[in-house]
Amino acid sequence: MTVDMPEAPELPDLPAFDKRAMRRAVRRGVIRTAFVGALWLVIASIVLGIAGQAALVGLGRRDHVQHVVAAGWQVAHPEFMLDLSSDGNGIVHTTTNYAAAPLGVQPVSASTKLSFSESLFGGVSRIDVEPKTAASQILLTFGLNGTDGASWRSAERKMLGQLPKPVRVAAIVEFAQPLSYADYTAFAARTGAGVDVQGAPLLLSAAKDLESQSDGAYAVSGVCAWAPEYAGRLLNLGFKNFDDPIGGFRAWVGSLHDSDRDALRKVGISLTTLRAAARAGLVHGVILHDTTAALLLKMLDDPAVGAVHPYDVAFAVEGSQADG
């Protein structure tokens, strides 16, 4: 028996291949894929940025940079005045920028820009170049043998006596022996230096306590200082309410932890030195950044003074302080 198979249906002719339409379709697909990918990247970046900043704030990185890192730099470099310029948080780090102006009587033409950063994971970084002034060189050897005594006083008395009367002088006063804060205020009273020493940075340790040394890439000095305005300008934690700057310094040092040791080392100060100075509470010297030669000569005659190291001189301009 023969079975008849149905005839296969006739297929329509395929349309001619349109190369231009194919290219347009491929182009649209690539653009759409790139747009969607970029959109997801933007969204991920925003989410990560918000999460990163929240983590930085939650971990206290921003406060740590100001309270420990910047304040530590100021304490180790009292020959400068540090002021906040700007700050901000990135995705995984917070950065604070400061202007460091030399403490002296010459007009400041430009400040040194300092930048301190701390990562989400706690690593601290800072500038590579350390600003220096004539006062910085004096502080490197402050308190070491040979930086005071009769020969120093004789040479300094001669130099100060030769200065014209209408000049202002910046100098580092070195005491023959460290003074208690009560003895320091008595010294200021009997020399008539009340206005000049008001708010002046007090040197609370000397290089002989921990001789300046190189610790890897960073120079660590034994000199640390404190001025009453450090608390208000850098910390804003109410330390200004203490009756004397020693109390403010002790409060700040007491807030530091062993985990801050590396961050402090990177800004030029040892946590060991800070704690020893806070325990002792002694004044090794004072930085008078705007005074007179007459007052410095009077200080040289005081038995409490071992030496006076002038580092900046300028003629007084109209409206400056009267001669002491």
Side-chain angles (χ1 to χ4, degrees):
M1 181 176 65
T2 303
V3 179
D4 295 330
M5 300 293 294
E7 296 182 357
E10 294 184 1
L11 298 174
D13 294 335
L14 295 174
F17 180 72
D18 189 341
K19 293 183 178 180
R20 297 177 66 182
M22 177 61 72
R23 285 196 294 267
R24 286 196 296 269
V26 171
R27 191 180 301 115
R28 286 196 299 270
V30 171
I31 293 173
R32 186 181 299 110
T33 301
F35 176 78
V36 172
L39 181 61
W40 278 110
L41 285 174
V42 171
I43 293 173
S45 176
I46 293 173
V47 171
L48 286 174
I50 294 173
Q53 292 191 28
L56 287 167
V57 173
L59 291 172
R61 298 304 185 213
R62 184 174 180 178
D63 292 338
H64 187 262
V65 168
Q66 185 171 2
H67 181 85
V68 175
V69 181
W73 191 93
Q74 175 68 92
V75 167
H77 302 81
E79 72 274 29
F80 292 92
M81 188 66 70
L82 200 61
D83 282 305
L84 178 66
S85 296
S86 63
D87 62 353
N89 291 331
I91 295 178
V92 294
H93 69 276
T94 183
T95 301
T96 307
N97 300 307
Y98 289 86
L103 202 62
V105 290
Q106 296 284 349
V108 178
S109 57
S111 299
T112 301
K113 304 302 180 183
L114 304 182
S115 181
F116 305 110
S117 297
E118 185 164 6
S119 74
L120 182 63
F121 308 102
V124 173
S125 61
R126 42 153 288 184
I127 60 165
D128 294 328
V129 178
E130 191 78 3
K132 297 290 184 184
T133 68
S136 304
Q137 302 305 313
I138 295 172
L139 291 175
L140 283 175
T141 57
F142 177 82
L144 296 179
N145 292 333
T147 60
D148 62 359
S151 60
W152 274 91
R153 287 195 299 272
S154 176
E156 290 166 347
R157 185 176 287 105
K158 180 179 180 181
M159 187 273 288
L160 289 168
Q162 292 174 343
L163 291 176
K165 186 177 181 180
V167 297
R168 305 299 296 181
V169 186
I172 296 174
V173 178
E174 181 177 348
F175 295 125
Q177 296 295 330
L179 305 178
S180 67
Y181 188 70
D183 288 338
Y184 169 74
T185 56
F187 160 79
R190 66 174 175 263
T191 56
V195 175
D196 298 70
V197 302
Q198 187 175 7
L202 303 183
L203 300 172
L204 305 179
S205 65
K208 64 183 177 183
D209 297 331
L210 174 66
E211 292 189 16
S212 300
Q213 57 182 313
S214 177
D215 186 359
Y218 308 105
V220 178
S221 173
V223 173
C224 65
W226 189 264
E229 65 178 293
Y230 290 178
R233 196 178 68 255
L234 291 174
L235 305 179
N236 194 27
L237 294 177
F239 293 171
K240 292 182 292 184
N241 296 328
F242 284 88
D243 293 334
D244 62 77
I246 305 296
F249 176 70
R250 283 173 167 164
W252 175 68
V253 173
S255 70
L256 301 174
H257 303 282
D258 287 339
S259 58
D260 297 322
R261 190 176 299 276
D262 184 65
L264 291 167
R265 177 182 60 83
K266 288 182 179 179
V267 294
I269 194 66
S270 162
L271 181 58
T272 301
T273 296
L274 291 173
R275 287 174 172 171
R279 285 193 301 269
L282 298 176
V283 182
H284 293 247
V286 59
I287 299 179
L288 302 181
H289 69 278
D290 187 7
T291 187
T292 64
L295 178 60
L296 295 176
L297 283 167
K298 188 174 182 179
M299 287 184 174
L300 275 172
D301 292 330
D302 193 286
V305 174
V308 171
H309 308 292
Y311 65 86
D312 194 17
V313 177
F315 278 94
V317 296
E318 185 178 354
S320 65
Q321 300 179 22
D323 288 345

